[in-house]
Amino acid sequence: MSDLDAKFDAITANLAGEFEALDAELAPEPAEQPERTPLELALYQAQDELTADWGDGFAPEAAGRRAWDRLDAAERDAALDELLYVYAGAIEHDSAERERYAREAPIRVELNALLALLRQARGWRAMWRRARLQRQIAALADSLIGGASDGR
């Protein structure tokens, strides 16, 4: 080994240690994982077991019952509160979605009628009609998706 090789090896060995220290210093902090409740942990475990036994062909209630059976009495009190909270939120969300769907039904009917007219409008004479239909369709679509049509 030549003197030059020995010097190069010494320099790169020192640099390697510096790079490792720099990498460790700049490494991102591990993301904090949310703390799982005993019910969540039991549910994940039950789902894993049922998936291993049945694939994806099991009812969610089966996993829930299996998870519930794993909990001790103290954990069940907190789990019941958790279940009721999530259930109440789901009911509230579902009713809001149903109300929105019912409220938007007339707009969807009008939009579908205009789209049918647009598909029928052909030829030079229908050009102005198509432009008007497209503006009306855009305005209705904006109202469905929460946009703001300028009405032109």
Side-chain angles (χ1 to χ4, degrees), residues 88-152:
I91 294 274
E92 183 178 321
H93 177 74
D94 186 53
S95 65
E97 284 297 308
R98 287 176 190 248
E99 288 172 15
R100 182 184 61 80
Y101 184 81
R103 187 177 58 252
E104 292 173 349
I107 297 170
R108 284 191 301 279
V109 168
E110 186 179 356
L111 181 60
N112 286 330
L114 290 173
L115 287 169
L117 288 173
L118 182 64
R119 284 189 289 273
Q120 293 171 0
R122 301 196 189 285
W124 174 256
R125 293 178 190 225
M127 182 177 73
W128 298 110
R129 185 174 182 206
R130 283 196 309 263
R132 189 183 77 234
L133 288 170
Q134 289 170 343
R135 284 193 303 273
Q136 290 173 311
I137 288 168
L140 289 172
D142 279 347
S143 69
L144 283 174
I145 60 174
S149 175
D150 62 7
R152 284 190 251 164

Side-chain angles (χ1 to χ4, degrees), residues 50-60 62:
L50 289 168
T51 300
D53 293 344
W54 300 98
D56 288 332
F58 64 87

Side-chain angles (χ1 to χ4, degrees), residues 4-140:
L4 188 56
D5 287 337
K7 288 180 182 178
F8 181 77
D9 288 345
I11 291 171
T12 56
N14 287 340
L15 285 177
E18 289 180 30
F19 282 130
E20 287 173 9
L22 186 60
D23 283 345
E25 184 179 321
L26 296 177
E29 293 291 323
E32 235 180 84
Q33 295 296 319
E35 190 171 322
R36 301 287 184 202
T37 65
L39 178 61
E40 283 181 283
L41 295 172
L43 185 60
Y44 291 141
Q45 186 177 6
Q47 288 171 335
D48 289 345
E49 291 170 359
L50 289 168
T51 300
D53 293 344
W54 300 98
D56 288 332
F58 64 87
E61 302 85 43
R65 290 180 189 280
R66 189 177 283 200
W68 185 261
D69 291 342
R70 282 199 168 91
L71 300 175
D72 61 39
E75 293 171 330
R76 283 185 181 182
D77 286 339
L80 182 58
D81 289 343
E82 184 179 350
L83 286 170
L84 293 172
Y85 178 82
V86 170
Y87 182 75
I91 294 274
E92 183 178 321
H93 177 74
D94 186 53
S95 65
E97 284 297 308
R98 287 176 190 248
E99 288 172 15
R100 182 184 61 80
Y101 184 81
R103 187 177 58 252
E104 292 173 349
I107 297 170
R108 284 191 301 279
V109 168
E110 186 179 356
L111 181 60
N112 286 330
L114 290 173
L115 287 169
L117 288 173
L118 182 64
R119 284 189 289 273
Q120 293 171 0
R122 301 196 189 285
W124 174 256
R125 293 178 190 225
M127 182 177 73
W128 298 110
R129 185 174 182 206
R130 283 196 309 263
R132 189 183 77 234
L133 288 170
Q134 289 170 343
R135 284 193 303 273
Q136 290 173 311
I137 288 168
L140 289 172

